[in-house]
Amino acid sequence: MIPAPAFLSNPERFMAFSRWAAPMFGLIAAILGLAGLYLGFSAPDDYQQGATVRIMFIHVPAAWLSMFVYGCLAVASLLSLIFRHALADAAAQAAAPLGAGFTFLALVTGSLWGRPMWGTWWVWDARLTSVLVLFLFYLAYIALRAALDDEAKAARACAILALVGAVNLPVVHYSVVWWNSLHQGASVFRADGPAMPPVFLIPLLLMSLAYMAAFGALWLVSIRGEVWRRRAEAAALRAARS
Amino acid sequence: MTHLDILHVGKYATFIGAAYGISVMVFAGMVWTTLAKARRWRKRAQALDAALTGR
Amino acid sequence: MSRISALLARETALAWGRGGGPLVSVGFYAGVATLLPLAIGPEAQRLAAIAPGAAWVALALASLLSLDRLFERDFEDGALDLLTLSSTPLELTCAIKCLSQWLATGAPLALAAPIAAIGLGAPPALAPLIFACALVGGLAFAFTGGIGAALSLGARRGGLLTAVIVLPLFVPPVIFGGGALDAFASGLGWTAGFALLCAYAAAAVALGPLAMAAACRNALA
């Protein structure tokens, strides 16, 4: 058995760690976000995209996070399945709504970017479709968690589903890319766009780091809430017995 | 470009404003629900623990 | 070996006889194929353009129908407990269950699919490929669907939940099969899509039972 870091496997240590780590991540997110927004809005208009290039600074980080959070969800699920750590399950449970939130943001901001740029709210492009399917995966995970009453069973069933999804998502992405190549003409993106100039790249990186730090803070606080909830329910059970 | 020009986003202002507005709303929602849940269960757990040890 | 064939016979008889069997699936399929022209309009050209795709999507939906009974019945009456205790590995039992599901619903649907597609206006030359795609795709639908059915064991509103879990998993086979049919209809090479569909079905048959068995053990624990 691989020893996991104590602050991740031991609830007491985790609570002590997240107590200062969560506000710190939140602070980092706020600072980076403000800097990114300032640089983003003071950047000149793109010669092709015009002012709508500003949507990129919130769309691309959300799209990255939607995939990153699923990775976190899958890893936490794997750990909870192998080691049966309650904390790993709490982490998986906490990640799912946040991931769904970021995926929703990626879809909506993408749509609002697409309308002025391509003249349509939605195109059945490979990337858009992949993100939509990812959103459906998050919804299925949340629905399964909500439908099972027994917490221990829900934890394992959800972990299995998360891993099935992790195996399936690359296949979904591949299939959607294949499908898109079949229906030429629908594609709007070019994979090999021109290299992004630093005026846009720096705010984009800052915003991405800010999103990532914000997710870290929200995730930690959400896991803390989950730990408190389980503690409260255990205490209620003990109170009912005594 | 002065600092007032920063907020000038041209004819696409509706789309940019909507994208940022929705992002802010979703973030606010995530922050609020996360904090409220953590606070609620923390109070609950501490109250129950106190009741158990108090007896 | 005789135990396995006995299990297959039992499961197929159950899937065929109770839980609806082929009649419900084929009836649902015929119903969808009838509603479609009523919703879209009877213009032959427009219908013919979407006929293969519509037949294919309706097939994916019809294969969802009897999934909720796949494990639920044995879960409720305790037979699943006995199946777990038997010397046959649970993975193999799950695979046999899905195989009988496919025999009882997938194969009859594969026979109905070309008829529905031609009725909607697809060229008759498409019939063999639709049959083959439906046969292979049905295998993929049965084995990925089994994962959803096993995961939602013991859940409230299990049937609906199964559909929510399974539909995202159906994306690749729907794309591959639809792509093969589309390519054939427009005179392009259809082998790539069909080969990918076969590969997906093979992967589902190989990996699906592992997830199903894990989910069943969890539901029974």
Side-chain angles (χ1 to χ4, degrees):
Chain A
M1 196 158 146
I2 311 155
F7 70 90
L8 286 182
S9 57
N10 178 332
E12 291 303 325
R13 298 262 185 91
F14 172 80
M15 292 309 261
F17 159 76
S18 60
R19 196 186 172 83
W20 58 267
M24 191 193 70
F25 275 126
L27 194 67
I28 292 175
I31 293 170
L32 289 176
L34 284 177
L37 281 178
Y38 176 76
L39 286 179
F41 271 92
S42 53
D45 286 1
D46 187 65
Y47 73 98
Q48 272 182 329
Q49 315 248 356
T52 55
V53 74
R54 316 231 185 292
I55 297 180
M56 178 182 75
F57 304 133
I58 51 173
H59 168 69
V60 173
W64 281 347
L65 259 285
S66 68
M67 285 177 277
F68 177 76
V69 176
Y70 198 89
C72 293
L73 174 63
V75 170
S77 298
L78 188 66
L79 292 178
S80 104
L81 212 53
I82 296 175
F83 301 126
R84 296 187 179 239
H85 280 160
L87 204 54
D89 175 54
Q93 185 174 1
L98 298 174
F102 283 114
T103 315
F104 175 77
L105 275 185
L107 287 171
V108 170
T109 54
S111 180
L112 283 167
W113 195 12
R115 181 76 186 105
M117 279 303 98
W118 318 320
T120 165
W121 294 105
W122 179 264
V123 284
W124 288 97
D125 173 89
R127 279 194 247 183
L128 277 78
T129 314
S130 295
V131 175
L132 183 62
V133 176
L134 180 62
F135 188 59
L136 296 180
F137 269 106
Y138 278 120
L139 291 189
Y141 184 92
I142 296 170
L144 181 62
R145 178 75 76 165
L148 290 167
D149 288 325
D150 185 321
E151 285 226 13
K153 284 183 183 176
R156 288 180 74 76
C158 285
I160 295 168
L161 178 62
L163 293 182
V164 168
V167 171
N168 229 278
L169 275 171
V171 183
V172 168
H173 183 73
Y174 170 76
S175 71
V176 170
V177 169
W178 180 81
W179 164 77
N180 205 49
S181 70
L182 215 63
H183 303 262
Q184 281 295 338
S187 173
V188 206
F189 291 111
R190 279 194 311 144
D192 50 342
M196 199 183 291
V199 254
F200 299 133
L201 191 60
I202 290 171
L204 179 61
L205 283 178
L206 284 176
M207 288 303 280
S208 301
L209 291 173
Y211 267 55
M212 193 122 18
F215 165 66
L218 287 170
W219 199 23
L220 287 177
V221 174
S222 192
I223 299 172
R224 283 172 70 82
E226 205 40 52
V227 171
W228 286 118
R229 185 180 70 78
R230 289 169 190 208
R231 216 171 267 183
E233 273 168 12
L237 207 61
R238 264 183 292 140
R241 280 212 194 108
S242 62
Chain B
M1 180 184 266
T2 68
H3 283 154
L4 276 179
D5 284 340
I6 284 173
L7 294 175
H8 176 76
V9 283
K11 56 180 171 168
Y12 298 128
T14 329
F15 296 105
I16 299 173
Y20 275 84
I22 290 172
S23 293
V24 167
M25 275 184 341
V26 170
F27 262 100
M30 289 200 292
V31 168
W32 193 79
T33 49
T34 306
L35 285 177
K37 179 185 143 199
R39 194 163 297 155
R40 185 171 76 240
W41 287 111
R42 174 186 203 144
K43 279 187 184 146
R44 191 79 200 283
Q46 283 171 345
L48 280 167
D49 271 343
L52 273 179
T53 49
R55 246 186 303 193
Chain C
M1 204 61 216
S2 67
R3 193 185 292 126
I4 292 172
S5 58
L7 192 61
L8 185 64
R10 169 193 183 261
E11 294 295 337
T12 314
L14 276 178
W16 191 278
R18 288 192 277 158
L23 215 58
V24 171
S25 303
V26 174
F28 174 83
Y29 191 58
V32 172
T34 312
L35 279 182
L36 209 72
L38 300 180
I40 292 180
E43 292 95 338
Q45 256 185 335
R46 207 190 317 172
L47 273 180
I50 58 153
W56 183 236
V57 169
L59 194 75
L61 292 180
S63 60
L64 282 175
L65 274 186
S66 37
L67 276 180
D68 56 327
R69 300 304 289 159
L70 183 56
F71 291 102
E72 195 80 27
R73 182 177 45 220
D74 286 350
F75 179 68
E76 278 164 3
D77 67 10
L80 200 56
D81 275 301
L82 294 178
L83 290 173
T84 330
L85 294 174
S86 86
S87 60
T88 317
L90 189 57
E91 282 80 2
L92 193 59
T93 311
C94 290
I96 289 171
K97 272 181 159 309
C98 291
L99 195 66
S100 4
Q101 168 84 2
W102 176 66
L103 286 175
T105 61
L109 278 175
L111 285 174
I115 303 174
I118 292 171
L120 287 172
L126 206 58
L129 187 61
I130 293 186
F131 176 71
C133 278
L135 213 55
V136 178
L139 204 58
F141 292 147
F143 275 78
T144 44
I147 299 175
L151 281 174
S152 49
L153 273 183
R156 284 166 280 148
R157 310 182 70 188
L160 220 58
L161 184 67
T162 305
V164 172
I165 293 175
V166 160
L167 280 177
L169 298 175
F170 278 5
V171 168
V174 164
I175 287 180
F176 294 144
L181 293 177
D182 196 45
F184 186 88
S186 47
L188 301 168
W190 51 271
T191 41
F194 188 67
L196 287 169
L197 181 65
C198 291
Y200 190 86
V205 170
L207 299 176
L210 302 177
M212 278 180 247
C216 286
R217 286 202 191 92
N218 174 47
L220 290 170

mmCIF file of all heavy atoms in Angstrom, chain A residues 89-104:
data_model
loop_
_atom_site.group_PDB
_atom_site.id
_atom_site.type_symbol
_atom_site.label_atom_id
_atom_site.label_comp_id
_atom_site.label_asym_id
_atom_site.label_seq_id
_atom_site.Cartn_x
_atom_site.Cartn_y
_atom_site.Cartn_z
ATOM 1 N N ASP A 89 -13.206 10.125 -0.645
ATOM 2 C CA ASP A 89 -14.575 10.168 -1.143
ATOM 3 C C ASP A 89 -15.181 11.548 -0.953
ATOM 4 O O ASP A 89 -15.873 12.064 -1.834
ATOM 5 C CB ASP A 89 -15.427 9.123 -0.432
ATOM 6 C CG ASP A 89 -16.870 9.234 -0.846
ATOM 7 O OD1 ASP A 89 -17.121 9.195 -2.058
ATOM 8 O OD2 ASP A 89 -17.738 9.396 0.024
ATOM 9 N N ALA A 90 -14.894 12.167 0.198
ATOM 10 C CA ALA A 90 -15.387 13.527 0.412
ATOM 11 C C ALA A 90 -14.847 14.459 -0.658
ATOM 12 O O ALA A 90 -15.565 15.327 -1.170
ATOM 13 C CB ALA A 90 -14.991 14.015 1.805
ATOM 14 N N ALA A 91 -13.568 14.254 -1.023
ATOM 15 C CA ALA A 91 -12.967 15.094 -2.051
ATOM 16 C C ALA A 91 -13.662 14.903 -3.391
ATOM 17 O O ALA A 91 -13.950 15.870 -4.108
ATOM 18 C CB ALA A 91 -11.481 14.774 -2.174
ATOM 19 N N ALA A 92 -13.965 13.629 -3.728
ATOM 20 C CA ALA A 92 -14.651 13.375 -4.994
ATOM 21 C C ALA A 92 -16.041 14.000 -4.989
ATOM 22 O O ALA A 92 -16.454 14.648 -5.952
ATOM 23 C CB ALA A 92 -14.747 11.871 -5.236
ATOM 24 N N GLN A 93 -16.733 13.823 -3.875
ATOM 25 C CA GLN A 93 -18.090 14.357 -3.793
ATOM 26 C C GLN A 93 -18.081 15.878 -3.897
ATOM 27 O O GLN A 93 -18.963 16.472 -4.523
ATOM 28 C CB GLN A 93 -18.732 13.935 -2.473
ATOM 29 C CG GLN A 93 -20.178 14.349 -2.370
ATOM 30 C CD GLN A 93 -20.840 13.798 -1.126
ATOM 31 O OE1 GLN A 93 -20.194 13.122 -0.326
ATOM 32 N NE2 GLN A 93 -22.113 14.088 -0.971
ATOM 33 N N ALA A 94 -17.062 16.511 -3.291
ATOM 34 C CA ALA A 94 -17.005 17.963 -3.316
ATOM 35 C C ALA A 94 -16.620 18.484 -4.693
ATOM 36 O O ALA A 94 -17.020 19.585 -5.076
ATOM 37 C CB ALA A 94 -16.003 18.456 -2.269
ATOM 38 N N ALA A 95 -15.841 17.685 -5.449
ATOM 39 C CA ALA A 95 -15.351 18.172 -6.734
ATOM 40 C C ALA A 95 -16.449 18.220 -7.788
ATOM 41 O O ALA A 95 -16.431 19.086 -8.665
ATOM 42 C CB ALA A 95 -14.198 17.290 -7.227
ATOM 43 N N ALA A 96 -17.428 17.302 -7.696
ATOM 44 C CA ALA A 96 -18.384 17.159 -8.796
ATOM 45 C C ALA A 96 -19.206 18.428 -9.062
ATOM 46 O O ALA A 96 -19.269 18.877 -10.212
ATOM 47 C CB ALA A 96 -19.292 15.966 -8.539
ATOM 48 N N PRO A 97 -19.844 19.053 -8.049
ATOM 49 C CA PRO A 97 -20.633 20.254 -8.370
ATOM 50 C C PRO A 97 -19.751 21.395 -8.873
ATOM 51 O O PRO A 97 -20.177 22.148 -9.767
ATOM 52 C CB PRO A 97 -21.290 20.630 -7.042
ATOM 53 C CG PRO A 97 -21.090 19.502 -6.136
ATOM 54 C CD PRO A 97 -19.938 18.710 -6.630
ATOM 55 N N LEU A 98 -18.516 21.495 -8.335
ATOM 56 C CA LEU A 98 -17.628 22.552 -8.804
ATOM 57 C C LEU A 98 -17.267 22.318 -10.269
ATOM 58 O O LEU A 98 -17.272 23.245 -11.082
ATOM 59 C CB LEU A 98 -16.357 22.584 -7.954
ATOM 60 C CG LEU A 98 -16.567 22.891 -6.477
ATOM 61 C CD1 LEU A 98 -15.271 22.742 -5.708
ATOM 62 C CD2 LEU A 98 -17.107 24.293 -6.305
ATOM 63 N N GLY A 99 -16.971 21.053 -10.594
ATOM 64 C CA GLY A 99 -16.659 20.741 -11.986
ATOM 65 C C GLY A 99 -17.824 21.047 -12.905
ATOM 66 O O GLY A 99 -17.651 21.603 -13.993
ATOM 67 N N ALA A 100 -19.024 20.714 -12.447
ATOM 68 C CA ALA A 100 -20.199 21.010 -13.257
ATOM 69 C C ALA A 100 -20.336 22.519 -13.442
ATOM 70 O O ALA A 100 -20.679 22.988 -14.531
ATOM 71 C CB ALA A 100 -21.446 20.430 -12.594
ATOM 72 N N GLY A 101 -20.028 23.280 -12.386
ATOM 73 C CA GLY A 101 -20.106 24.739 -12.484
ATOM 74 C C GLY A 101 -19.139 25.275 -13.524
ATOM 75 O O GLY A 101 -19.522 26.097 -14.371
ATOM 76 N N PHE A 102 -17.886 24.809 -13.499
ATOM 77 C CA PHE A 102 -16.902 25.300 -14.470
ATOM 78 C C PHE A 102 -17.285 24.876 -15.887
ATOM 79 O O PHE A 102 -17.110 25.641 -16.843
ATOM 80 C CB PHE A 102 -15.504 24.786 -14.113
ATOM 81 C CG PHE A 102 -14.868 25.531 -12.980
ATOM 82 C CD1 PHE A 102 -14.601 24.916 -11.779
ATOM 83 C CD2 PHE A 102 -14.549 26.865 -13.119
ATOM 84 C CE1 PHE A 102 -14.019 25.611 -10.733
ATOM 85 C CE2 PHE A 102 -13.971 27.576 -12.077
ATOM 86 C CZ PHE A 102 -13.706 26.939 -10.885
ATOM 87 N N THR A 103 -17.792 23.647 -16.025
ATOM 88 C CA THR A 103 -18.176 23.190 -17.363
ATOM 89 C C THR A 103 -19.333 24.021 -17.892
ATOM 90 O O THR A 103 -19.364 24.397 -19.071
ATOM 91 C CB THR A 103 -18.566 21.706 -17.305
ATOM 92 O OG1 THR A 103 -17.602 21.014 -16.533
ATOM 93 C CG2 THR A 103 -18.615 21.115 -18.683
ATOM 94 N N PHE A 104 -20.284 24.324 -17.003
ATOM 95 C CA PHE A 104 -21.405 25.184 -17.404
ATOM 96 C C PHE A 104 -20.881 26.538 -17.873
ATOM 97 O O PHE A 104 -21.301 27.057 -18.918
ATOM 98 C CB PHE A 104 -22.356 25.335 -16.215
ATOM 99 C CG PHE A 104 -23.482 26.289 -16.453
ATOM 100 C CD1 PHE A 104 -24.563 25.917 -17.222
ATOM 101 C CD2 PHE A 104 -23.461 27.559 -15.903
ATOM 102 C CE1 PHE A 104 -25.597 26.797 -17.451
ATOM 103 C CE2 PHE A 104 -24.491 28.442 -16.113
ATOM 104 C CZ PHE A 104 -25.559 28.066 -16.896
#
